[in-house]
Amino acid sequence: MTSATATSLLPDVAATVRVHRPSLRLLRYEPESGEQSGSPPPARPHAPAVAVTVDATDTAVVRRRAEQVLRLTFEVLDGRRPVAQLSGHLEPRALRYVRAAVAQRRAAQQPARMTSLHLDQPCAGVAEVAAVYRRGSRARALAARFERVPTAEPDDPRRWRCVTLRLL
C-alpha cells in the first residue's frame, strides 16, 4: 500500500469535527482616581480562619436581592432598560463596568435569561455570587460581590449593594 492510498482511506478530520473555542472579551472602563486598572487589590494581612455564622433569613434576603439586581443588570445589558436604573443598586465602579459592557454590546442579540445562581457568604456582611445565563444557545457566567451597607432599617433588602460585577 502506498502512502497516497493510506491517506485516502482516512476520513478528513477537519471536515467532520467542528470545534467551538470560547473567546474572551476585555471590557475597557475608566477606573476611579487612584484605582489601577487590571491590577489585583492590595493584599490584606492573613487572618486565621474563623467559623462564620450566617443567619438563614439574612441568606434568603441577600439571595433574593442578588437575583433581583442581576435580572435588572441582564435587562440593561439587553437594552430593555436604561443604565440609570441600576444606579441605586450598584456601586459606581460596578456601574462603570456595566456602562462599558453596554457600549460594546452587539445589536440584535437575543434576551439573556438567568439559569442558575450560586451564593456564598465567606464572612459576615459579604456575599459572593456566581450566575449562569443563556443568550440563545450560548451559556455565559457572571460573578458579583454584594456587601451590606448600614441603613436605618435592618430589614431593608437594599442594604445589600453590588460592589463588583464581572461578565465572564
Side-chain angles (χ1 to χ4, degrees):
M1 188 183 285
T2 65
S3 64
T5 310
T7 56
S8 65
L9 296 176
L10 296 175
D12 187 11
V13 174
T16 60
V17 177
R18 185 173 170 188
V19 177
H20 174 72
R21 297 188 185 192
S23 62
L24 299 177
R25 295 180 300 138
L26 177 64
L27 294 178
R28 303 206 185 277
Y29 71 102
E30 294 296 321
E32 288 185 30
S33 60
E35 177 186 343
Q36 295 180 354
S37 176
S39 64
R44 295 180 183 166
H46 178 68
V50 178
V52 177
T53 57
V54 179
D55 184 16
T57 58
D58 201 33
T59 301
V61 169
V62 71
R63 184 176 185 81
R64 279 192 307 271
R65 177 69 175 158
E67 189 172 343
Q68 174 195 24
V69 170
L70 295 184
R71 285 191 195 281
L72 286 171
T73 303
F74 290 136
E75 290 176 8
V76 167
L77 292 172
D78 290 342
R80 294 181 278 165
R81 288 182 181 268
V83 179
Q85 288 190 2
L86 287 175
S87 63
H89 306 285
L90 274 64
E91 288 292 317
R93 186 174 78 184
L95 194 58
R96 280 194 306 277
Y97 184 83
V98 172
R99 281 195 178 110
V102 168
Q104 295 180 9
R105 176 183 65 218
R106 296 182 193 142
Q109 290 183 345
Q110 296 176 344
R113 61 184 175 89
M114 189 166 28
T115 57
S116 70
L117 184 129
H118 304 280
L119 183 120
D120 184 40
Q121 290 184 281
C123 60
V126 174
E128 295 177 347
V129 178
V132 176
Y133 66 99
R134 290 190 147 314
R135 180 170 281 136
S137 63
R138 298 197 61 186
R140 292 255 170 102
L142 177 140
R145 180 181 174 103
F146 287 79
E147 292 181 2
R148 187 176 18 212
V149 293
T151 60
E153 298 181 31
D155 294 334
D156 187 5
R158 290 175 297 177
R159 70 176 183 227
W160 289 96
R161 201 161 159 89
C162 182
V163 296
T164 304
L165 183 79
R166 291 293 180 263
L167 298 169
L168 307 173

